[in-house]
Amino acid sequence: MKHNCHHDIVTPDSFDPDGPQHFQTEEEAAKFALEQTTARAHSGEPAAQYALALAILHFGDFPRKEETAVMWLKRAAAAGHVPSQLLLKDL
């Protein structure tokens, strides 16, 4: 009997209420995670706003990326997110 081995990348259950998502590549998983984080940031979740700001600062490659990251940090900081407040002081 031949065993068909799949090496799918599985995200944590927390990303999807219907269960884990399966991806064929790390790039697909990263894209999905960024989409989920962006949606949560837009819904007002401070931790997601902070995570999105960090992703933009470290991996963003577009004009005005610093300005965009600072915008997300300010939103999270205004909601009382301490790591965002501290990072804003360092920028």
Side-chain angles (χ1 to χ4, degrees):
M1 179 177 198
K2 187 176 181 180
H3 179 68
N4 189 5
C5 183
H6 269 234
H7 297 288
D8 288 351
I9 299 162
V10 180
T11 64
D13 292 341
S14 62
F15 280 121
D16 184 357
D18 298 324
Q21 297 290 316
H22 296 272
F23 302 97
Q24 295 297 320
T25 66
E26 287 184 16
E27 184 177 308
E28 288 177 10
K31 181 180 176 187
F32 179 78
L34 182 59
E35 289 169 354
Q36 294 297 307
T37 301
T38 301
R40 290 177 23 232
H42 279 282
S43 74
E45 187 178 318
Q49 294 168 337
Y50 175 73
L52 184 57
L54 291 180
I56 290 168
L57 285 172
H58 294 289
F59 305 109
D61 187 22
F62 56 91
R64 299 173 52 185
K65 77 175 190 176
E66 290 84 7
E67 182 179 330
T68 303
V70 167
M71 175 200 69
W72 286 114
L73 288 172
K74 285 181 178 179
R75 289 182 183 185
H81 190 259
V82 174
S84 296
Q85 295 167 349
L86 295 173
L87 184 55
L88 277 171
K89 288 181 181 180
D90 291 337
L91 292 179

